[in-house]
Amino acid sequence: MSYQITPHDPVGWHGTTILCVRRDGRVAMAGDGQVSLGQTVIKGNARKVRRIGPHSNILAGFAGATADAFTLLERLEAKLERYPEQLERACVELAKDWRTDRYLRRLEAMMLVADADRSFTLTGNGDVLEPEDGIVAIGSGGNYALSAARALMTVDGLSAEEIARRSMKIAGDICVYTNYSVTLETLGGEAS
């Protein structure tokens, strides 16, 4: 089962599409660079996908308020230091804190995280969700990227990277809050 979630958006900030695709032992995470406030593009080349963890072997992408997302990334990195090589446990521990801590509960962001084996969506509701089919997306253009990726998974010979890039292009063609300035990070076997 694939899913897409968009963070609560009380102030009108938009502009994130994050997509994670798994195929043939590889994982690709892509995020566009657009940040908008209302009808105005504030920035076009924001970096919303990055490598984290003690060995930079975990990919993280975020949607929502940037400062809130960076707070969550820092907290996740601390959990990964405490629980090395245990991504699921680190995610669950962060989700518990996020849901119960008075300060963290107010954060307006969501995250996708992935290692070479598993992907998770983390939300402020305490959710730690793992897709069944290896595809997950969040943000304003997440539904478009998710739909495109699911369709492209039926095409033989496309790598996770190619599916992610093509899906992000399609999302950018449709969603006014998604642009073509894409950051793409990969993990796993040899690139095709």
Side-chain angles (χ1 to χ4, degrees), residues 149-161:
R150 290 186 80 181
L152 290 169
M153 286 292 278
T154 65
V155 177
D156 290 336
L158 292 180
S159 67
E161 297 91 325

Side-chain angles (χ1 to χ4, degrees), residues 69-80:
F70 283 135
T71 298
L72 292 169
L73 283 172
E74 288 173 6
R75 297 281 180 124
L76 181 58
E77 286 193 289
K79 297 293 184 189
L80 290 166

Side-chain angles (χ1 to χ4, degrees), residues 55-128:
H55 306 291
S56 298
N57 60 343
I58 295 171
L59 304 179
F62 60 85
T66 305
D68 293 354
F70 283 135
T71 298
L72 292 169
L73 283 172
E74 288 173 6
R75 297 281 180 124
L76 181 58
E77 286 193 289
K79 297 293 184 189
L80 290 166
E81 286 177 15
R82 185 168 179 192
Y83 305 107
E85 307 302 321
Q86 298 179 61
L87 179 60
E88 182 177 16
R89 174 126 189 233
C91 289
V92 168
E93 293 298 323
L94 175 62
K96 286 195 301 193
D97 290 352
W98 194 354
R99 184 168 170 78
T100 59
D101 183 274
R102 177 176 235 155
Y103 167 72
L104 292 178
R105 265 197 320 251
R106 300 190 192 305
L107 298 182
E108 296 290 338
M110 295 183 62
M111 293 187 350
L112 290 184
V113 294
D115 63 11
D117 301 311
R118 299 175 78 188
S119 303
F120 298 100
T121 300
L122 285 75
T123 75
N125 295 329
D127 297 318
V128 179

Side-chain angles (χ1 to χ4, degrees), residues 12-25:
W13 285 93
H14 296 281
T16 301
T17 300
I18 306 293
L19 172 68
C20 184
V21 177
R22 291 181 172 280
R23 186 171 222 186
D24 299 329

Side-chain angles (χ1 to χ4, degrees), residues 12 59 106 109 129 140 144 147 174 185 190:
L59 304 179
R106 300 190 192 305
L129 305 169
S140 300
Y144 309 115
S147 297
I174 299 169
E185 294 281 352
E190 294 298 315

